[in-house]
Amino acid sequence: MGVDHHEIKVEILINKLLAERNMSLRELARLSGIEPSNLSNLANGKRKKIYLEHIERIADALEIDDISKIIKLTKK
């Protein structure tokens, strides 16, 4: 039996955060200084690499001090 090393998936909760705040992706882009296309790719799970600076900017823009509100680990 081989071990599957990809049982955990990192989920970025941008869409949930935006819905809770009734905020658009463009508004978050403006507040965080991150390109809307990059935020969209992050929000829709299309990015394989995540920059910590982007997470920090999102947290700062949304006044979040708990990373678990931005990133969630889920089982596949």
Side-chain angles (χ1 to χ4, degrees), residues 7-25:
E7 292 179 16
I8 299 286
K9 182 177 189 244
V10 174
E11 196 177 333
I12 307 295
L13 306 174
I14 292 173
N15 290 328
K16 179 179 182 239
L17 290 167
L18 293 176
E20 287 172 0
R21 287 166 168 76
N22 198 21
M23 181 186 283
S24 70
L25 195 78

Side-chain angles (χ1 to χ4, degrees), residues 1-5 7:
M1 259 187 241
V3 177
D4 183 1
H5 294 288
E7 292 179 16

Side-chain angles (χ1 to χ4, degrees), residues 14 25-30 32-44:
I14 292 173
L25 195 78
R26 288 206 172 279
E27 178 69 1
L28 179 57
R30 188 183 67 74
S32 66
I34 301 171
E35 288 291 323
S37 59
N38 286 338
L39 276 178
S40 179
N41 287 337
L42 258 180
N44 297 313

